[in-house]
Amino acid sequence: MKELQDLAAKLLAEKTVGLVIGWEQGPRGARPAFVADPKDAGRLIFDNRCVHNLAAYLSPRRPHLRGFGRIAVAVKGCDVRAVAGLVRESQLKREDVVLLGVRCGGVHDEPTDAGPLTAENLADRCVGCEVREPPRCDHVLGELPPAPPSRDGRRAGRIAELDALDHAARFAFWRQELSRCVRCNACRQVCPLCTCERCLADKTDPPWIESSPHTRANFAWHATRALHLAGRCVDCGECERACPAGIPLNLIGRKVAAVVERRFGYRTTDDPQVPAPIGAWKPDDGQEFIR
Amino acid sequence: MSRIGVFVCHCGENIGRTVDAAEVARASGNLPGVAHATDYKYMCSDPGQALIKQAVAEKKLDGVVVAACSPHMHEKTFRRATAGAGVNPFLCEMANIREHCSWIHENRPAATAKAIDITRSIVEKLKRNAPLEPIRIPVERRALVIGGGIAGIQAALDIADGGREVVLVEKGPSIGGHMSQLSETFPTLDCSQCILTPRMVEVYQHPRIKLLAYSEVEAVEGYIGNFNVTIRRKARGLDETKCNGCGQCQASCPQKKIPSEFDAGLGKRTAIYVPFPQAVPNIPVIDSGHCARWKGIVKGLKKFACGKCIEACGRGAITFDLEDKIVTEKVGAVVVATGFQLYEIGRDHEADGLKGYGEYGYGRIPDVIDGLQFERLASASGPTAGKLQRPSDGKEPRTIVFLQCVGSRDPAKGIEYCSKICCMYVAKHTMLYRHKVHDGRAVVFYMDIRAGGKGYEEFVRRAIEEDGAEYVRGRVSRLERDGDVVRVQGFDTLSGEPVTIDADLVVLATAMRSQPGIEALAQKLSVSYDRHGFINEAHPKLRPVETNTAGIYVAGACQAPRDIPDSVAMASAAASKVLGLFSNAELEREPNVARVDEATCAGCFHCRRVCAYGAVERKEIRDKKGNLVKVVASVNRGVCQGCGTCQATCPGKSVELEGFTDPQIYAAINAFQG
Ligand SMILES: Cc1cc2nc3c(=O)[nH]c(=O)nc-3n(C[C@H](O)[C@H](O)[C@H](O)COP(=O)(O)OP(=O)(O)OC[C@H]3O[C@@H](n4cnc5c(N)ncnc54)[C@H](O)[C@@H]3O)c2cc1C
Ligand code: SF4
Ligand code: SF4
Ligand code: SF4
Ligand code: SF4
Ligand code: SF4
């Protein structure tokens, strides 16, 4: 923690960066912190409540942060994939950001949860994590904490259960879940990869996706979001955490990721040079019609 | 648009049998915005088109919907008719009630209801159409021909004779291709080199042909009418302008045991060599893999080995300049004529998933050869000066067994397609052999004889009836060396009995395959190819010499196995397409191309990565002071083929195809809700 605070203060004092984005203690658990003054660097923390994927603040659709010039941002190993996504899709120049990688031993589901991690309270995406040592960062900070407790992935189990249902039952499940969506767009706003200048859902001519929250429109919205994030979603869980209606959005993300992996042999990676299937055309594509 | 005319076609019985066209017209006439609706037996006929023009004039129509066949068939016809009536052609749309309806349904009332739905949907789309103007692009009236086989030679000569400049790029040291290796050619048995070499010389001397032999295409950029081609001129190791082709260097080279590619490995050549006496250009190359001095230079040795050729050359032409040179050419059209290769059964084909034919002992048994090697043995310019001598001991073979379809038509181990030429050249080989060895035995194992073509069947009959070739229907399971002979064990499927023949020589008619490396070239050109590596034509029947990329044409055996007459015909066809393109200084193109909404584009460039034609570029938007505001996608209208992939990919739908915009498609879909 001290290491992070000292480095942040140094980078700000030297004017290497104009802003450091990290986490701090809020009134209800951990929360994102924006530090522009080296004197404030002492606010920065990192512990197992720092669940937020701060890469979302690097999106060019947040112009108010642009005024700070270069930004340093604290990232967990898994958050690096979102940064890579932004670089891959020309939304961020890698040299415009300083990545402060923090060695991670897993996080809780919510920033308000506290206490040591157990097999019970560990966030699902941390199960079997392979990037506790953050890759491709400019600085890697902290001691490597012990590996998180091991257990089976909950969502994988839930997806298997849903896959086992017949079509009608599975449809009924999603109808019931998605009918609760109030179309607040929180899932989109918080997503580090939803970087469109004008989201399809906001297109009015034609109105592909109706804006009122009824089940048919909600299906259109979520099918669109699922397809747009296919092979791009980094499984940070922010959408599901942001959703006021408690819709299990990560089940969709995970399921689609599995399909993408099976069909295209692609897993979201922290290498920005590897194109994601949505934006790739290969002359030797397995499917002949597209060549 | 408020005065739309709907014209419903019966297509004779094609539509009329299942769809009540009069009812479709009646129902469409009630749609809002439709001012006129009628039906007719054949809308595409002259009277049918006249009907449209007349209605447009009389009823002051401002848009036309023709409910008939697929736009693939007649969109052009009806758009021309609409333009003829004074309305922008892009305000004419077709509703496909044939392929999408009458042909696939049986129930007349239901099919009629569906035809009404389809027509309504297109009427709604048309209401959102905008008038479009064709795109005009300047054309650089020069062509690039890739590959100097007979197909490339023919295409280059035809284009040059038509008055346009040609750059002919050949990767080998000489042009001529496989035809230069053949002895005599079916179906007339004229000497291959005698008919080919005059054409090669013509290429060399033609004032409008620039021959770049020993060169390869590195990169191709641009689009129809405007290609920029980067060409690598491989180092020959000598100064072409000084060399006069005297051949002193070849005579002096001490490396004399290198297998000659031209003689299919049966003859030998030196390290500095001209591949064959009539080569064009008649300039040697130094084979970097075998020249001692070249290898020394590459290794950085201080003292150079050899150098005999330098001494021998009276003109000081041999420089040992090892640098490849890169040149660029601007052309308006490209003809791909890179030909074929023979299935090398001796080589390991695991990489391409082929199992090979180990049981035939090719490469192991010296007297098992392939068709090209036989051509060289039979050729007067070949390693044996045309005397038939088998490779192992130089003996004249008394019995030759020919196996057809080795590798072809064999999905289990080879390739499933038919190589098309082998039936014919095997018949030719038996004749060439019997003309030289009158009492010799020529036995052919075949699956069936495919001799379609002018004079072809007669040619095969002649081989059998006049020249006494013995044809055995069946496959051969094994070839084994037994002392002096090759034992052929096969099965005669007509008599149902096994056959064993002791042959002095066995000739394998191996499959024709695409050139190695053709995929890389095709990718540079953005043309598609099938899974065997043959270049795809734009339409197998109607556009056989065009590729899916405008301005790029294909000729000869690189498109599919074919013989010389077909290759030449195709080359002339491609040349006439090129000359047609070059007949105007400007080119008109359909305006159905993509357009980016710069205000909403996020600059994520998914569209750029998925565009198979490289049509999407980056565009910087700057404010008045020149500060970069944002980077967006921008479509080059000359390159875009209107495939719509970008539109489908763009998450926020910020790129649309003119004529197929989101509002149009949305309206068309929505209209189905009734
Ligand atoms: C054994 C045998 C016997 C035959 N006998 C007859 C016969 O009697 N009658 C008949 O009609 N047909 C015959 N054929 C068929 C005939 O050889 C072909 O039809 C003809 O050669 C096809 O011409 P092409 O120009 O398309 O290809 P090719 O002759 O293969 O020429 C292609 C040329 O392109 C060059 N090239 C390849 N790749 C590149 C590249 N990337 N860049 C630049 N240059 C490149 C090659 O070096 C070559 O010079 C025979 C074929 C075989 C194998
Ligand atoms: S988990 Fe949700 S917020 Fe995170 S990348 Fe995927 S879709 Fe976006
Ligand atoms: S949902 Fe799709 S269109 Fe909307 S912001 Fe996300 S990626 Fe873009
Ligand atoms: S955050 Fe939840 S409620 Fe809001 S739009 Fe997304 S899914 Fe619907
Ligand atoms: S995909 Fe769409 S948003 Fe992305 S660069 Fe292309 S047009 Fe712009
Ligand atoms: S429509 Fe789009 S993807 Fe297709 S060629 Fe044009 S720019 Fe490329």
Side-chain angles (χ1 to χ4, degrees), chain A residues 61 88-91 195-200 203 205-208 228 232 275 278-281 283-284 288 291, chain B residues 523 528-531 599-606 609-610 612 618 630 649 651-654 656 662-663 666:
Chain A
R61 295 320 142 228
R88 181 181 298 125
E89 297 174 1
S90 316
Q91 302 300 301
T195 52
C196 292
E197 177 108 23
R198 190 261 341 263
C199 175
L200 182 60
K203 191 169 185 176
D205 183 26
W208 284 119
H228 288 184
R232 300 171 64 232
I278 188 180
W281 176 77
D284 55 350
E288 211 169 314
R291 300 202 306 233
Chain B
Q523 288 165 19
S528 67
Y529 46 91
D530 66 18
R531 63 202 170 83
T600 60
C601 169
C604 63
F605 296 109
H606 288 320
R609 284 183 290 264
V610 295
R618 297 168 67 95
K630 67 175 184 172
T649 305
K653 295 281 168 280
S654 290
E656 294 183 314
D662 269 18
Y666 187 83

Side-chain angles (χ1 to χ4, degrees), chain B residues 261-532:
Chain B
E261 294 83 1
F262 180 73
D263 280 332
L266 295 178
K268 303 272 182 274
R269 63 162 172 84
T270 44
I272 184 165
Y273 71 107
V274 175
F276 55 105
Q278 304 93 322
V280 168
N282 182 21
I283 296 172
V285 291
I286 304 175
D287 170 354
S288 59
H290 288 97
C291 166
R293 189 182 176 88
W294 191 310
K295 286 195 277 191
I297 299 175
V298 172
K299 276 205 201 115
L301 297 188
K302 292 260 148 43
K303 260 189 78 195
F304 295 141
C306 195
K308 289 233 161 35
C309 52
I310 304 181
E311 289 161 29
C313 178
R315 301 174 62 91
I318 301 177
T319 55
F320 274 91
D321 176 1
L322 312 188
E323 285 290 313
D324 292 355
K325 294 199 175 52
I326 303 290
V327 297
T328 55
E329 296 284 350
K330 197 163 174 7
V331 297
V334 181
V335 178
V336 187
T338 49
F340 69 100
Q341 62 164 327
L342 275 192
Y343 184 176
E344 298 170 64
I345 31 183
R347 228 191 65 217
D348 184 3
H349 285 270
E350 231 172 85
D352 10 11
L354 301 180
K355 295 231 179 67
Y357 290 84
E359 68 273 32
Y360 288 165
Y362 182 89
R364 200 158 33 82
I365 312 175
D367 292 327
V368 176
I369 61 174
D370 69 19
L372 263 183
Q373 290 176 312
F374 187 84
E375 295 282 345
R376 296 314 301 145
L377 286 183
S379 169
S381 72
T384 56
K387 273 182 65 195
L388 267 178
Q389 295 177 329
R390 63 180 197 173
S392 62
D393 53 9
K395 223 178 74 182
E396 184 179 81
R398 310 304 304 164
T399 302
I400 305 187
V401 168
F402 297 88
L403 310 191
Q404 291 196 178
C405 301
V406 177
S408 311
R409 303 173 67 194
D410 186 0
K413 283 157 73 182
I415 304 148
E416 59 268 33
Y417 59 77
C418 164
S419 290
K420 196 171 172 193
I421 56 161
C422 329
C423 287
M424 292 305 297
Y425 79 62
V426 168
K428 173 183 77 175
H429 288 171
T430 66
M431 284 158 115
L432 295 179
Y433 171 58
R434 292 273 299 183
H435 294 173
K436 288 183 199 270
V437 184
H438 300 296
D439 55 349
R441 244 187 114 190
V443 185
V444 179
F445 280 86
Y446 71 103
M447 285 166 76
D448 47 51
I449 303 290
R450 301 186 164 180
K454 191 169 173 179
Y456 283 19
E457 175 64 16
E458 297 91 312
F459 185 81
V460 176
R461 296 306 328 162
R462 211 169 100 204
I464 299 172
E465 284 156 19
E466 289 173 30
D467 291 315
E470 298 167 41
Y471 273 68
V472 181
R473 183 174 176 150
R475 281 255 193 202
V476 165
S477 54
R478 265 193 102 66
L479 296 177
E480 259 166 20
R481 191 170 194 183
D482 187 7
D484 201 18
V485 298
V486 183
R487 177 145 308 140
V488 182
Q489 286 169 358
F491 194 82
D492 181 339
T493 50
L494 290 182
S495 68
E497 286 182 9
V499 211
T500 304
I501 299 174
D502 284 346
D504 298 313
L505 183 66
V506 175
V507 183
L508 308 178
T510 47
M512 245 172 150
R513 299 188 61 198
S514 58
Q515 278 281 3
I518 189 71
E519 286 92 348
L521 180 68
Q523 288 165 19
K524 285 177 196 160
L525 294 164
S526 299
V527 300
S528 67
Y529 46 91
D530 66 18
R531 63 202 170 83
H532 303 294

Side-chain angles (χ1 to χ4, degrees), chain A residues 187 190-193 225 229 232-239 250:
Chain A
C187 51
V190 77
C191 175
L193 276 314
R225 216 182 67 86
L229 273 312
R232 300 171 64 232
C233 166
V234 296
D235 194 30
C236 60
E238 293 291 77
C239 49
N250 284 141

Side-chain angles (χ1 to χ4, degrees), chain A residues 161-182:
Chain A
E161 281 169 29
L162 288 171
D163 282 348
L165 296 178
D166 65 16
H167 182 266
R170 197 160 57 237
F171 189 73
F173 169 81
W174 281 113
R175 173 198 292 280
Q176 191 263 320
E177 291 292 334
L178 298 184
S179 64
R180 293 202 307 276
C181 173
V182 295

